[in-house]
Amino acid sequence: MANLIEFLSLSSFVGAAETVIVDARSGPDAARQYQQGHLPGAIFVDVETDLSSKTADAADGGRHPLPDAASFSVTLQRLGITPSTTVIIYDNSQGANAAARFWWMLRAFGHQSVFLTNGDLNTAIAAGFALESGIVDPTPAAAPYPPGRWQDHVVDMQQIRHCLKSEQACAGESAAMGRPNFPTDKINSEHLIVDVRESERYQGFQEPIDLIAGHIPGAINIPWRQNIDETGKFRDVAELKTLYSKFLEGVAPEKIILQCGSGVSACHTLFAFHLIGIKGAKLYVGSWSEWSRNNNPMVGGGDKP
């Protein structure tokens, strides 16, 4: 499948000229775990610093806001990535934290030769890869990467407020939660917001990360884990098309907005869309982490215990 590489094919890329293999695992101990064992030649990319530009308050852009284009260009230079580089990315969570985020960012910059591995680090170990320890220092490129255009691929909180699915949903659900309504003349029912978080978080039964549980009014829930099979690999194209056709039929791709907790795992579904030829869907980067901190209308919201 396009832009998806099997681990059995990966060995031919290790050490190849103009190829960068990236370990994009995340979590509070990600850097130390990378040093303890990673694929041969893989450099480490940190979602908290390399793929985000965090603010003091997650209400301002969410937990993983995008860096500005100029800063990301310099990051790519430091990582040794040029427009002609082949980039292969893996993580420790089937691509959802944060391999797909890096894939999406590169694609948003216009980079074509970028691949996700089909499966994660555990898949590689099962395929017989021997890990190496220590740190692989990238060789910087001679110049910053030509900046791309985030704005063509994202929506912000104000745009989400204007895209809530129906006047009744916005007014009724917002009033039930004791939160303000937004101008009904700005609501556009042509848009579809897809929340890719686990069902329990979407429904408001639990929230392990953010302060309030629930979801954006009108958003539908298609958890990103439905993109993968029981082995942790992406489902084939036919299965993915069957999964999404029943939800997306009649909706123009450019009217589809993907969101999650903080704009990372939503990129996994954007990659799945790429595999099945859906082009033009947008990412709400701030996602629930921003939305839930700004007195917006919510469904099923409840304070975190």
Side-chain angles (χ1 to χ4, degrees), residues 125-288:
I125 295 171
F129 270 85
L131 305 185
E132 66 178 22
S133 60
I135 299 174
V136 177
D137 292 320
T139 302
Y145 197 103
R149 290 172 54 83
W150 298 133
Q151 58 266 40
D152 294 342
H153 304 273
V154 301
V155 298
D156 60 24
M157 184 170 62
Q158 296 298 328
Q159 290 169 299
I160 292 290
R161 286 172 171 172
H162 297 167
C163 292
L164 296 182
K165 289 201 58 158
S166 73
E167 176 178 345
Q168 289 183 342
C170 181
E173 293 171 338
S174 179
M177 296 303 301
R179 296 185 174 94
N181 296 323
F182 294 104
T184 55
D185 63 340
K186 296 294 186 181
I187 296 170
N188 186 337
S189 61
E190 294 179 353
H191 287 82
L192 178 65
I193 303 172
V194 180
D195 187 327
V196 311
R197 294 174 302 157
E198 298 86 346
S199 176
E200 292 78 8
R201 294 179 69 188
Y202 168 83
Q203 294 182 65
F205 295 152
Q206 65 174 5
E207 180 47 63
I209 304 173
D210 292 309
L211 303 180
I212 299 175
H215 66 265
I216 297 172
I220 66 171
N221 183 219
I222 314 176
W224 70 266
R225 290 190 181 276
Q226 295 190 37
N227 298 327
I228 57 177
D229 61 21
E230 63 278 359
T231 71
K233 292 187 175 184
F234 276 90
R235 299 186 184 279
D236 63 33
V237 168
E239 288 181 297
L240 290 172
K241 285 184 176 179
T242 298
L243 168 64
Y244 286 107
S245 62
K246 59 186 176 183
F247 296 105
L248 308 182
E249 184 177 2
V251 183
E254 62 272 16
K255 299 292 187 180
I256 302 171
I257 300 167
L258 276 292
Q259 56 101 174
C260 53
S262 65
V264 176
S265 57
C267 295
H268 194 276
T269 295
L270 284 168
F271 184 82
F273 281 10
H274 170 76
L275 293 177
I276 61 178
I278 297 176
K279 299 180 180 180
K282 305 297 193 298
L283 174 65
Y284 172 29
V285 180
S287 287
W288 184 250

Side-chain angles (χ1 to χ4, degrees), residues 6-188:
E6 299 292 338
F7 278 106
L8 293 177
S9 303
L10 186 60
S11 57
S12 62
F13 290 92
V14 175
E18 292 197 275
T19 298
V20 171
I21 300 176
V22 174
D23 185 312
R25 76 183 82 188
S26 62
D29 204 26
R32 186 183 65 83
Q33 290 182 6
Y34 160 80
Q35 293 180 40
Q36 290 181 337
H38 53 79
L39 294 185
I43 63 174
F44 178 64
V45 170
D46 193 333
V47 67
E48 305 294 336
T49 56
D50 297 320
L51 307 184
S52 306
S53 182
K54 305 186 81 163
T55 62
D57 186 351
D60 180 15
R63 287 183 278 107
H64 293 105
L66 289 173
D68 63 70
S71 297
F72 188 56
S73 296
V74 173
T75 295
L76 294 180
Q77 178 186 16
R78 177 177 58 80
L79 297 174
I81 296 173
T82 73
S84 61
T85 301
T86 294
V87 184
I88 301 171
I89 316 168
Y90 72 91
D91 63 23
N92 59 346
S93 185
Q94 291 88 38
N97 279 318
R101 165 77 169 230
F102 194 24
W103 170 87
W104 176 85
M105 292 172 72
L106 283 167
R107 293 286 295 188
F109 255 42
H111 197 90
Q112 297 300 311
S113 187
V114 52
F115 299 84
L116 285 190
T117 58
N118 198 7
D120 57 18
L121 186 62
N122 291 324
T123 312
I125 295 171
F129 270 85
L131 305 185
E132 66 178 22
S133 60
I135 299 174
V136 177
D137 292 320
T139 302
Y145 197 103
R149 290 172 54 83
W150 298 133
Q151 58 266 40
D152 294 342
H153 304 273
V154 301
V155 298
D156 60 24
M157 184 170 62
Q158 296 298 328
Q159 290 169 299
I160 292 290
R161 286 172 171 172
H162 297 167
C163 292
L164 296 182
K165 289 201 58 158
S166 73
E167 176 178 345
Q168 289 183 342
C170 181
E173 293 171 338
S174 179
M177 296 303 301
R179 296 185 174 94
N181 296 323
F182 294 104
T184 55
D185 63 340
K186 296 294 186 181
I187 296 170
N188 186 337

